Amino acid sequence: MEKLQQRVKEDGVVIDGGILKVDSFLNHQIDPELMYEVGETIYNKYKDEGITKVLTIEASGIAPAIMTALKFKVPCLFAKKSVPSTLTEEVYHTDIHSYTKNKTSHVVVSKRFLSENDRVVIIDDFLANGEAALGLYNLVQQAGATCVGVGIVVEKSFQSGKQRLLDAGLDVTSLCEIAALDNGKVTLVGEGEL
Amino acid sequence: MEKLQQRVKEDGVVIDGGILKVDSFLNHQIDPELMYEVGETIYNKYKDEGITKVLTIEASGIAPAIMTALKFKVPCLFAKKSVPSTLTEEVYHTDIHSYTKNKTSHVVVSKRFLSENDRVVIIDDFLANGEAALGLYNLVQQAGATCVGVGIVVEKSFQSGKQRLLDAGLDVTSLCEIAALDNGKVTLVGEGEL
């Protein structure tokens, strides 16, 4: 997705430890038209697959996921990192570790909203080690549902996440693939090649 | 907003202590088309006001806020309940207490994304005691920005939040106003009157 790739190159900031800061358009301040185009692109990839639900995790996954769900005209379900007082029934749950935050979250979705009849697209803002996407896939499997594909806004292709998802048999659609974050510079996959 | 009001009546579940559970379409599973209509309605209310930014708080505010921002073609900024490692610069911050969760969150927005030139619409999923909306208004004031209005998906009109926002001089647009949650039943404002 060219507009997204340009935006990552222009507005992404590389900070210490190979962390990419994209908080001007993705995970603090959000560009809604860019997110709409993200949703459209994921929709075009999986539109003939009978998708019934879009699954993500709070909070930064919600914007791209709701736009994807809008295009599919299906519900968007977001996994919660804490169990709210209003969630009084049975849940599917798993643990997801964030290396960036150095924190493990116990995430849940209500059993009411995911069933064996569901055909799910998983959406997340980042793919690095694959922890979040694999955790969401675990929830899909617990429900006996089918994961048709995983849509990622920004993939750090130099980390292990993509391969781990492929090894799990998942179809992965990444809209911006980052080859390296060296010397304060974002290099995209394929960039600079002849 | 009639479709929203119907949905709250039909799918809202009243649980102990006057808590309304709307997690089938608003704050766990989300109906994207309903959220789009929420955004459209808020847009129609403030479209001539020169809005430059939509402000909300993670996580349940993001879906209605991003749809509102999509209509306005302006950025959506969400206040964070924890300070991420990528947020290395100065922030505006305040404390917001949730009575439902019985928890006080320290919320922040980066100073880069809110300035005295901004004309802001604040969006949240619920208005009860007004803590979240007033906390967001506090952030807007710290930035010297202007709060043009507050858009609320579901207002509990029997609690003090609406009056507190009006007392602060804010314009409030609530799309579904709930008069009572007694005996397990949702009663809307104006419902049953001649």
Side-chain angles (χ1 to χ4, degrees):
Chain A
M1 202 183 126
E2 202 181 323
K3 198 187 291 179
L4 173 68
Q5 290 163 1
Q6 276 179 5
R7 196 68 179 274
V8 169
K9 289 285 287 182
E10 282 166 21
D11 295 340
V13 176
V14 181
I15 56 177
D16 295 348
I19 290 174
L20 176 65
K21 184 168 161 171
V22 286
D23 64 356
S24 64
F25 60 94
L26 184 55
N27 50 22
H28 180 25
Q29 181 168 263
I30 314 171
D31 180 333
E33 293 169 282
L34 193 68
M35 290 305 109
Y36 186 84
E37 205 176 310
V38 163
E40 214 164 26
T41 307
I42 301 291
Y43 170 76
N44 286 332
K45 176 74 187 286
Y46 298 113
K47 65 184 172 190
D48 300 322
E49 299 285 347
I51 301 304
T52 63
K53 200 147 288 192
V54 174
L55 176 66
T56 189
I57 183 167
E58 62 177 338
S60 302
I62 295 175
I66 194 82
M67 292 304 182
T68 305
L70 182 69
K71 290 296 298 180
F72 277 108
K73 299 181 191 293
V74 302
C76 170
L77 178 64
F78 69 89
K80 299 207 165 214
K81 289 178 182 169
S82 63
V83 183
S85 62
T86 50
L87 198 57
T88 48
E89 71 276 350
E90 283 192 83
V91 296
Y92 300 114
H93 58 91
T94 191
D95 289 328
I96 293 180
H97 184 73
S98 164
Y99 289 92
T100 314
K101 295 178 186 166
N102 191 25
K103 185 181 163 187
T104 298
S105 297
H106 184 69
V107 308
V108 301
V109 296
S110 167
K111 289 190 177 179
R112 274 182 299 143
F113 301 133
L114 210 50
S115 81
E116 59 186 8
N117 298 319
D118 276 316
R119 294 178 59 77
V120 179
V121 172
I122 290 171
I123 298 285
D124 207 8
D125 57 338
F126 265 96
L127 174 61
N129 298 286
E131 287 290 310
L134 287 167
L136 292 173
Y137 179 46
N138 185 318
L139 298 174
V140 170
Q141 287 178 302
Q142 287 179 45
T146 304
C147 180
V148 175
V150 180
I152 297 292
V153 183
V154 177
E155 175 191 307
K156 292 176 165 177
S157 306
F158 55 92
Q159 290 189 251
S160 62
K162 170 74 148 284
Q163 192 57 51
R164 290 179 71 196
L165 299 193
L166 295 175
D167 289 347
L170 292 167
D171 187 74
V172 182
T173 303
S174 297
L175 305 186
C176 178
E177 296 170 310
I178 296 177
L181 292 173
D182 297 329
N183 306 317
K185 188 170 166 289
V186 178
T187 307
L188 301 181
V189 169
E191 193 183 358
E193 293 174 5
L194 286 178
Chain B
M1 201 183 127
E2 202 181 323
K3 198 187 289 178
L4 173 68
Q5 290 163 1
Q6 277 179 5
R7 197 67 180 275
V8 169
K9 289 285 287 182
E10 282 166 21
D11 295 341
V13 176
V14 181
I15 56 177
D16 295 348
I19 290 173
L20 176 66
K21 184 168 161 171
V22 286
D23 64 356
S24 64
F25 60 94
L26 183 56
N27 49 23
H28 180 25
Q29 180 168 264
I30 314 171
D31 180 332
E33 293 169 282
L34 192 68
M35 289 306 108
Y36 186 83
E37 206 177 309
V38 163
E40 214 164 26
T41 307
I42 301 291
Y43 170 76
N44 286 331
K45 176 75 188 287
Y46 299 112
K47 65 183 172 190
D48 300 322
E49 299 285 347
I51 301 304
T52 62
K53 200 147 289 190
V54 173
L55 176 66
T56 189
I57 182 167
E58 62 177 337
S60 302
I62 295 175
I66 194 82
M67 292 304 182
T68 305
L70 182 69
K71 290 296 297 181
F72 277 108
K73 300 181 191 293
V74 301
C76 170
L77 178 64
F78 70 89
K80 299 207 165 213
K81 289 178 182 168
S82 62
V83 183
S85 62
T86 50
L87 198 56
T88 47
E89 71 276 350
E90 282 192 82
V91 296
Y92 300 115
H93 58 91
T94 190
D95 289 329
I96 293 181
H97 184 73
S98 165
Y99 289 91
T100 315
K101 295 178 185 165
N102 191 26
K103 186 181 163 188
T104 298
S105 297
H106 184 70
V107 308
V108 301
V109 296
S110 167
K111 289 190 178 180
R112 273 182 299 141
F113 301 133
L114 210 50
S115 81
E116 59 186 8
N117 299 319
D118 277 316
R119 294 179 58 78
V120 179
V121 172
I122 290 171
I123 298 285
D124 207 8
D125 57 337
F126 265 96
L127 174 61
N129 298 286
E131 288 290 311
L134 287 168
L136 292 173
Y137 179 46
N138 185 318
L139 298 174
V140 170
Q141 287 178 302
Q142 287 179 46
T146 304
C147 180
V148 174
V150 180
I152 297 292
V153 183
V154 177
E155 174 191 307
K156 291 176 165 177
S157 306
F158 55 92
Q159 290 188 250
S160 62
K162 170 75 147 286
Q163 193 57 51
R164 291 179 71 196
L165 299 193
L166 295 176
D167 289 347
L170 292 167
D171 187 74
V172 182
T173 303
S174 297
L175 305 185
C176 178
E177 296 170 311
I178 296 177
L181 293 173
D182 297 329
N183 305 317
K185 188 170 167 289
V186 178
T187 307
L188 301 181
V189 169
E191 193 183 357
E193 293 173 5
L194 285 178

